[in-house]
Amino acid sequence: MSTHRFILEPYKGVSTRHTCPNCHRQRCFSKYIDTEEQIKFPEYVGRCDHEQKCGYHFTPRDYFEQNPAEKEKFSENSFRSYAPVKEAQPVVTSYIDLDIVNQSLRGYPVNRLSQFLSAQFGETETLKLMKKYKVGTSKYWDGATVFWQTDNQNRVRTGKIMLYNPETGKRVKEPYNHVTWAHSVLHKGDYNLRQCFFGEHLLSENKNRPVALVESEKTALIASYYLPQFLWIASGGKNSCFNANSLSILAGRSVVLFPDLGATDYWQSKIGLMKSCGIEVQMFDYLEANASEVERKEGYDIADYLLKVKPDEVVLQQMIRRNTALKILIDALDLKLVSVQRGIPHSKVSAPKKRGFRL
């Protein structure tokens, strides 16, 4: 019989095996329990059974190190008798060769997402965004986009390949959902994928700038143009990076969550986990509280609202397309565009003199 106070929950049927917070496989996660029944650990304290493919193991000791106030409630004797089960050997994370990544950072004239964004912001601003976030072009589908997941050490974990409609900016889902992964397309066997936030490599640029977290990579690009006072990153999915390992990179940062409509409750449920990782977190739920039924049905996110604000450069380009003589006049007189203050639809904001808004 074990003499340890904190142990992995013994198997007593499928109800004692849960979904792993890291790899999200079902019925493979064992939680830690307190044999003296004085403490109930959070859902993420436990071990995944998939030691080679996942390797997630968050021990009670890890939990108490992050939450010293909880540890103070117990005597030191509680910890002298605690010994974790045999640690699984850490699995080495796989990475994509940087030469492959760099080769993709071109071809923007045929990149369908780039075409859409250029119609919104102009080619110059769009190119800046694509280069800043290391967004590439893939030949897997004609004009496809690859969002490289680059971590804080500038190592590329993988790339998500997606196809967009260049007119609407929406993902192509017919006759099937056009989304796949770079490591799968490259036929890399035994690839140990550990996802990171899209845009994570930007976190070291300004450690004092508040971070804005969204779900979609495309949304991070769009929002970073309109709201540059935030450093925008994306989880890449509702569940992808909401685990202790991925969130640890945000420790000590101020983070504002911008969930898609309909996902607010789920993201709200993750705030406790984020705070336990040392993250100062807030929720922007104004859209959820004020959205129309049509907007809810279509699953709007903040980018859908921001795109309703046409940048001055785009308005000018539309005028030039209608009357090419305007371009000749601008060049001849060396005219300069003066920005006009704008506001965001459906949101109480004020616009500063330069591009960007205050929430």
Side-chain angles (χ1 to χ4, degrees):
M1 181 177 294
S2 174
T3 59
H4 304 313
R5 175 171 177 178
F6 306 123
I7 64 172
L8 290 168
E9 184 178 19
Y11 182 79
K12 296 180 180 178
V14 294
S15 63
T16 60
R17 291 299 177 265
H18 312 279
T19 300
C20 176
N22 187 59
C23 68
H24 308 297
R25 292 186 179 91
Q26 297 180 346
R27 293 192 286 275
C28 69
F29 186 71
S30 304
K31 297 179 182 178
Y32 275 101
I33 61 172
D34 179 9
T35 57
E36 296 184 12
E37 299 181 348
Q38 293 185 30
I39 184 171
K40 180 176 175 60
F41 290 110
E43 298 293 315
Y44 58 87
V45 181
R47 186 185 69 173
C48 181
D49 295 339
H50 297 279
E51 296 182 358
Q52 297 302 316
K53 293 292 185 180
C54 178
Y56 180 87
H57 190 187
F58 198 96
T59 68
R61 191 180 300 281
D62 296 329
Y63 172 73
F64 287 120
E65 285 178 355
Q66 289 190 357
N67 299 273
E70 293 294 325
K71 182 176 180 179
E72 292 174 0
K73 297 178 182 178
F74 305 95
S75 66
E76 285 298 319
N77 292 333
S78 299
F79 298 94
R80 291 190 185 121
S81 63
Y82 161 67
V85 295
K86 183 179 179 181
E87 294 277 355
Q89 290 297 315
V91 181
V92 177
T93 302
S94 300
Y95 301 102
I96 301 292
D97 193 302
L98 290 180
D99 287 339
I100 294 174
V101 176
N102 292 331
Q103 288 173 17
S104 77
L105 303 181
R106 56 191 179 188
Y108 297 119
V110 300
N111 186 305
R112 295 188 179 187
L113 178 61
S114 181
Q115 291 171 0
F116 170 75
L117 295 179
S118 293
Q120 312 304 313
F121 313 139
E123 293 182 4
T124 301
E125 291 298 325
T126 297
L127 183 60
K128 289 180 181 178
L129 287 174
M130 303 294 262
K131 295 291 187 180
K132 175 182 178 180
Y133 277 89
K134 296 187 178 180
V135 179
T137 302
S138 172
K139 296 180 180 179
Y140 189 74
W141 294 300
D142 187 26
T145 299
V146 53
F147 298 104
W148 297 109
Q149 289 186 7
T150 308
D151 65 21
N152 66 323
Q153 300 296 318
N154 281 308
R155 299 169 300 191
V156 179
R157 304 288 183 91
T158 188
K160 186 189 292 185
I161 302 173
M162 306 175 78
L163 186 65
Y164 289 87
N165 182 312
E167 300 297 327
T168 65
K170 302 294 184 182
R171 287 167 46 194
V172 176
K173 298 182 180 180
E174 299 295 339
Y176 59 90
N177 194 7
H178 287 65
V179 55
T180 188
W181 296 95
H183 63 274
S184 298
V185 172
L186 294 170
H187 304 292
K188 291 187 173 292
D190 298 324
Y191 196 86
N192 182 43
L193 172 62
R194 291 199 175 185
Q195 293 191 62
C196 66
F197 291 104
F198 171 72
E200 183 175 303
H201 62 288
L202 301 174
L203 291 172
S204 60
E205 288 188 2
N206 189 334
K207 296 183 179 180
N208 296 320
R209 191 190 306 181
V211 177
L213 177 58
V214 293
E215 181 176 328
S216 161
E217 295 90 348
K218 184 189 78 172
T219 298
L221 292 177
I222 293 171
S224 68
Y225 174 85
Y226 285 97
L227 301 167
Q229 66 268 43
F230 290 102
L231 196 162
W232 293 84
I233 62 176
S235 64
K238 189 174 76 171
N239 300 311
S240 299
C241 290
F242 279 114
N243 59 75
N245 285 343
S246 296
L247 289 170
S248 63
I249 192 66
L250 297 174
R253 301 295 293 252
S254 175
V255 178
V256 182
L257 305 181
F258 290 83
D260 294 0
L261 290 180
T264 300
D265 288 345
Y266 177 81
W267 282 37
Q268 184 74 41
S269 71
K270 298 299 180 180
I271 289 181
L273 169 60
M274 297 182 72
K275 288 183 176 179
S276 73
C277 293
I279 303 169
E280 180 185 332
V281 59
Q282 302 176 61
M283 175 75 74
F284 182 76
D285 56 3
Y286 182 87
L287 302 182
E288 189 73 53
N290 294 276
S292 68
E293 288 304 315
V294 173
E295 292 165 346
R296 294 183 192 280
K297 184 177 180 180
E298 295 184 3
Y300 268 37
D301 63 14
I302 191 171
D304 294 301
Y305 292 94
L306 292 172
L307 285 172
K308 294 180 180 181
V309 182
K310 290 294 183 184
D312 300 301
E313 300 97 313
V314 175
V315 174
L316 178 60
Q317 288 177 10
Q318 291 173 344
M319 293 170 63
I320 291 174
R321 281 196 293 270
R322 295 191 187 100
N323 187 348
T324 55
L326 181 60
K327 178 67 165 58
I328 299 174
L329 180 63
I330 291 172
D331 292 340
L333 299 178
D334 193 25
L335 299 178
K336 303 297 182 183
L337 181 65
V338 178
S339 296
V340 178
Q341 293 187 4
R342 298 177 182 272
I344 301 175
H346 302 287
S347 182
K348 297 179 179 179
V349 296
S350 57
K353 294 180 180 180
K354 295 184 179 180
R355 189 184 78 246
F357 302 91
R358 286 198 299 270
L359 289 177

